[in-house]
Amino acid sequence: MAGTGGLGELERAVMDVLWDRDDAEPVTVRAVTDALAERKPAYTTVMTVLDRLAKKGFVLRERDGRAWSYRPAASRDAYVARLMLDALDLTGDREAALAHFARSVSNPEAEALSQALDRHRKSG
């Protein structure tokens, strides 16, 4: 997943369709358009968004006959983690930002973070 920054509203909706799939099979533009039926996007709009996401490195695409099929380049968790790291880059004091973040999470979230840090320390 190249680049930094967030996704636009329609880009996020398209990524949600890809991330919410149970299997890792690539999907066609038609399948994504159908999944977004409530929003009523044009097929060509979804095709343009998926092309843009591929150029940004958010999706991988492969030929499927005459059409392209798409799948996420990284998981939703990896995307959110990248956003969090990008946000840390905006501060002049990463330690203070992390401390503030740690004070703002719930007890279960703090426990999950503590366990993740323990695993990180043991593996590194």
Side-chain angles (χ1 to χ4, degrees):
M1 181 175 48
T4 58
L7 296 168
E9 184 180 338
L10 186 53
E11 289 175 327
R12 176 62 190 256
V14 167
M15 289 305 301
D16 282 340
V17 169
L18 298 178
W19 281 324
D20 288 345
R21 296 184 55 80
D22 288 335
D23 56 31
E25 290 296 313
V27 294
T28 63
V29 174
R30 173 60 55 207
V32 175
T33 303
D34 291 348
L36 296 171
E38 232 177 69
R39 297 176 67 104
K40 299 179 183 165
Y43 177 92
T44 54
T45 300
V46 174
M47 185 171 53
T48 299
V49 168
L50 282 163
D51 182 60
R52 190 168 54 235
L53 289 168
K55 287 176 181 168
K56 289 180 176 182
F58 283 98
V59 299
L60 303 173
R61 68 181 179 178
E62 56 193 59
R63 274 283 182 205
D64 185 13
R66 291 177 31 205
W68 290 103
S69 290
Y70 299 85
R71 60 188 165 85
S75 68
R76 185 187 329 250
D77 292 341
Y79 168 69
V80 171
R82 179 78 254 160
L83 287 176
M84 294 168 73
L85 289 169
D86 288 347
L88 276 176
D89 288 342
L90 296 175
T91 180
D93 188 347
R94 289 174 70 106
E95 189 174 318
L98 285 168
H100 184 76
F101 176 77
R103 288 189 304 271
S104 67
V105 298
S106 68
N107 285 337
E109 291 166 336
E111 182 59 31
L113 186 56
S114 178
Q115 290 174 6
L117 289 170
D118 286 344
R119 286 190 300 274
H120 174 70
R121 285 185 198 103
K122 290 175 184 171
S123 70

